[in-house]
Amino acid sequence: MGGVLRKLPIGIHDFEKLRKGDYLYVDKTALVWRIANIGKTYLLTRPHHFGKSLLLSTFKAYFEGKKELFEGLAIAGMEKDWSKYPVLHLDLNAEKYETPDDLLAMLNQHLEKWEAVYGDEKREWNLEGRFGYVICRASEQFGCGVVVLVDGYDKPLLKALGNDALLDDYRKTLNAFYSVLKSSDRYLHFVLLTGVTKFAQTGMCNDLNQLNDISMMSQYATICGITQQELEDTFMPALNQLAKENELTYEETLNKMMALYGGYHFCEFVEGVFNPFSVLNVFDGYKFSNYWFQTANPAFLVELLKKREYDLRTLIDGIETSVSSFTEYRVEANNPIPLIYQSGYLTIKDYDKRFGNYLLEFPNDEVRYGFMDFLVPYYTSVVDDERGFYLGKFVRELENGDVNAFLTRLQAFFADFPYELNEKTERHYQVVFYLVFKLMGQFTGAEVLSARGRADAVVKTPKYIYVFEFKLNGTAEQALQQIDEKGYLIPYQADGRELVKVGVEFSAEKRNIDRWLY
């Protein structure tokens, strides 16, 4: 698909602008045609920055009959008629949504735009009345059904999470507005709502339950995101340039792209996709970085995890769960997992046919280490700008064999803990250890092991293999003794690197690491 100079559509969500500007485009139009021609009302959920806005814009161009924009794409060989329909495109993404009036103003703004075209005789009616009237008038004027496309249908609700009164207000307003889609059914040709969450199934709007939710259907699993084949077909020159700039082979580059940005599965047993936002950005400057994660703000999710006293270690290692427990988010249920999944921080990695259970894990290293790094200030006294500094020092100290410096620095992680050591806080300490060692894992191959019969943590550096055992209610001597008695070193004895046993004890009184022996 062209040479190196084809433009990257970074920040471009308008299909017409993308096509007329000769930007690179990953052709999803075969799926667009299929969805448009076999059903009528749909819901599609995907994480933010996953191509939903561009997808809706593609549907808009298709239903407006703009045949010339689709030349050379799959749909050109599929569509014969190119009929034109009236399209009402509602984009709820732009507003901050801090007061009830913000949502009313946004809906009013769209209604006024439509009324200027289809008639504003009912402008003194309420919002839903005006919406219904516009749909009816558009249908009459065109002599056919109307197409309604809603981008970010749940955006106001997501912005109001944590503010129950505002959330309730938005829910009532949107309930009334979206209910028009059911009452106006005879005037509608096609409806597609996109968003991040599935509020529709949770009392958000019972009238939306008639929507066909295609979010986890295998035939549409790749409609947002980029498959490996699409990556190689569309971005081959960019991949070669990325390899060259980073002194990697093509194969190594592809593997690194997969490790960092691939691995999203929106249905069991289907191929994974790459995050389109990170893919475009890595080709912009030819540097590997956490592009998507930097645009995310999981603060609300982390607060939810803390409030629930959720054991982070299960989140980090992967969660086995039934489908309902990660697709149906209910605010009052206070279960953070559905929202964490829908926001793109967890994805489907395996499926147990027999019991119908899914394994949810971080999709890739960008999300894994980004999320864990984000957690550190919430569970320790370390502030944002110190995290990278600490991590780099930790790794270098162990690489240099300086156990004392490493554990002295680790003490700083536990400073200023706000509560007494008890069963609850015992897990808190374990989680902090877990985070530190897991974050080091990206540089040292650190493993944190919770199974009995294995040490608490193992860290491998070029010269050393460290085996750590921590005692919350015991001594450093007992920790070392346990390493010997349980044979924790045995798996590493043939390795050739120097083996270092480290026994660490906690003091309930000091609420910190107190002594260590190695």
Side-chain angles (χ1 to χ4, degrees):
M1 280 188 60
V4 179
L5 295 175
R6 288 291 294 281
K7 296 183 285 188
L8 295 164
I10 294 172
I12 294 181
H13 311 299
D14 184 314
F15 182 72
E16 184 165 348
K17 187 177 175 184
L18 183 143
R19 294 294 287 165
K20 285 183 173 172
D22 194 35
Y23 288 91
L24 282 169
Y25 175 64
V26 176
D27 188 355
K28 300 288 185 182
T29 58
L31 287 172
V32 166
W33 188 88
R34 184 172 174 174
I35 290 169
N37 284 279
I38 66 166
K40 180 176 176 178
T41 56
Y42 294 97
L43 171 70
L44 175 71
T45 62
R46 285 294 182 268
H48 74 288
H49 285 318
F50 238 86
K52 298 186 296 293
S53 297
L54 177 60
L55 179 68
L56 276 193
S57 177
T58 310
F59 273 105
K60 182 172 184 280
Y62 168 71
F63 281 117
E64 286 174 346
K66 295 183 175 174
K67 182 180 177 181
E68 72 285 358
L69 297 179
F70 294 90
E71 278 173 23
L73 299 179
I75 203 169
M78 302 167 85
E79 182 55 62
K80 303 288 178 275
D81 300 334
W82 293 101
S83 307
K84 292 184 182 179
Y85 297 88
V87 178
L88 303 179
H89 183 207
L90 174 63
D91 184 354
L92 293 179
N93 284 312
E95 188 54 66
K96 282 193 169 74
Y97 299 114
E98 289 166 352
T99 70
D101 288 343
D102 290 343
L103 177 56
L104 301 178
M106 177 61 97
L107 294 173
N108 187 56
Q109 189 184 318
H110 279 88
L111 284 165
E112 285 179 351
K113 193 170 70 181
W114 300 331
E115 286 165 341
V117 179
Y118 301 112
D120 64 355
E121 299 84 354
K122 307 296 181 188
R123 64 182 160 215
E124 74 287 347
W125 285 14
N126 60 19
L127 293 172
E128 54 271 23
R130 289 163 65 194
F131 186 33
Y133 182 69
V134 163
I135 290 173
C136 174
R137 292 286 293 146
S139 175
E140 287 168 356
Q141 285 176 28
F142 267 75
C144 64
V146 175
V147 171
V148 175
L149 305 171
V150 185
D151 191 0
Y153 90 98
D154 56 346
K155 186 66 174 277
L157 303 175
L158 288 172
K159 285 288 185 185
L161 284 176
N163 180 342
D164 292 347
L166 187 62
L167 185 65
D168 201 46
D169 193 288
Y170 284 169
R171 200 184 280 176
K172 283 175 185 158
T173 300
L174 290 173
N175 259 331
F177 199 79
Y178 292 143
S179 66
V180 174
L181 297 173
K182 189 173 185 184
S183 58
S184 303
D185 184 63
R186 65 186 181 281
Y187 301 114
L188 295 169
H189 173 72
F190 181 85
V191 175
L192 172 59
L193 275 65
T194 66
V196 170
T197 56
K198 301 190 185 184
F199 277 93
Q201 298 165 335
T202 63
M204 158 60 214
C205 180
N206 290 330
D207 292 330
L208 287 186
N209 285 342
Q210 91 273 16
L211 296 176
N212 181 14
D213 184 357
I214 58 172
S215 310
M216 283 185 69
M217 288 190 182
S218 59
Q219 61 268 44
Y220 308 122
T222 62
I223 191 152
C224 291
I226 299 170
T227 66
Q228 182 168 331
Q229 190 66 55
E230 288 167 341
L231 181 74
E232 295 195 70
D233 288 350
T234 311
F235 301 100
M236 179 72 79
L239 279 167
N240 282 319
Q241 187 64 25
L242 182 65
K244 188 177 161 191
E245 299 262 352
N246 289 275
E247 298 176 346
L248 299 169
T249 66
Y250 179 81
E251 203 58 43
E252 286 167 344
T253 304
L254 211 51
N255 288 341
K256 185 151 186 174
M257 289 288 286
M258 177 62 81
L260 274 172
Y261 311 126
Y264 291 87
H265 297 85
F266 300 108
C267 177
E268 63 274 19
F269 309 134
V270 293
E271 76 179 301
V273 290
F274 290 81
N275 184 321
F277 186 83
S278 288
V279 166
L280 291 177
N281 279 280
V282 83
F283 291 143
D284 192 30
Y286 300 110
K287 284 190 174 77
F288 292 104
S289 185
N290 292 350
Y291 296 105
W292 179 81
F293 197 88
Q294 285 161 9
T295 70
N297 183 8
F300 176 77
L301 302 176
V302 175
E303 291 293 356
L304 256 185
L305 288 166
K306 279 199 83 173
K307 201 160 108 187
R308 281 286 313 276
E309 288 171 358
Y310 198 90
D311 189 346
L312 278 180
R313 292 169 298 176
T314 60
L315 178 74
I316 291 166
D317 284 341
I319 298 157
E320 198 171 323
T321 182
S322 65
V323 69
S324 62
S325 62
F326 70 89
T327 56
E328 297 179 19
Y329 180 66
R330 287 180 175 76
V331 178
E332 60 281 1
N334 227 357
N335 173 17
I337 298 307
L339 210 49
I340 292 174
Y341 166 79
Q342 290 162 18
S343 303
Y345 300 108
L346 292 173
T347 196
I348 297 167
K349 287 294 183 181
D350 203 0
Y351 178 67
D352 184 330
K353 262 186 184 166
R354 185 178 171 202
F355 300 108
N357 284 339
Y358 291 80
L359 177 66
L360 304 181
E361 291 180 350
F362 292 126
N364 50 45
D365 285 351
E366 175 182 21
V367 178
R368 176 179 296 107
Y369 294 118
F371 198 82
M372 288 195 290
D373 195 41
F374 193 85
L375 288 168
V376 169
Y378 289 83
Y379 286 83
T380 74
S381 56
V382 172
V383 294
D384 282 14
D385 54 356
E386 290 178 342
R387 282 175 293 183
F389 166 78
Y390 266 99
L391 207 56
K393 293 282 188 188
F394 280 148
V395 171
R396 285 194 189 98
E397 281 154 2
L398 288 187
E399 283 175 349
N400 296 332
D402 197 343
V403 178
N404 286 329
F406 171 76
L407 286 162
T408 304
R409 193 175 304 281
L410 195 57
Q411 279 178 321
F413 250 64
F414 291 95
D416 313 321
F417 258 31
Y419 23 54
E420 295 305 310
L421 185 64
N422 56 36
E423 265 179 44
K424 250 188 204 170
T425 58
E426 184 172 313
R427 188 165 79 188
H428 192 112
Y429 282 96
Q430 289 164 339
V431 163
V432 175
F433 271 130
Y434 206 73
L435 274 176
V436 171
F437 283 100
K438 281 281 185 188
L439 279 167
M440 282 168 50
Q442 60 195 305
F443 307 108
T444 64
E447 297 175 78
V448 199
L449 310 164
S450 47
R452 291 177 65 162
R454 293 196 289 179
D456 287 331
V458 176
V459 180
K460 298 170 183 174
T461 70
K463 286 187 195 166
Y464 305 98
I465 293 180
Y466 295 92
V467 176
F468 287 87
E469 185 63 34
F470 300 100
K471 285 285 175 208
L472 283 150
N473 304 304
T475 64
E477 286 83 0
Q478 287 170 327
L480 285 181
Q481 196 179 341
Q482 186 171 327
I483 292 173
D484 289 337
E485 284 176 359
K486 299 270 176 105
Y488 293 158
L489 291 177
I490 292 169
Y492 312 106
Q493 275 169 351
D495 185 280
R497 281 175 276 192
E498 193 174 324
L499 302 182
V500 184
K501 325 179 262 195
V502 189
V504 184
E505 72 183 64
F506 260 77
S507 158
E509 201 183 329
K510 294 178 184 171
R511 302 204 291 274
N512 207 325
I513 295 172
D514 189 28
R515 288 177 64 238
W516 57 83
L517 294 167
Y518 67 96

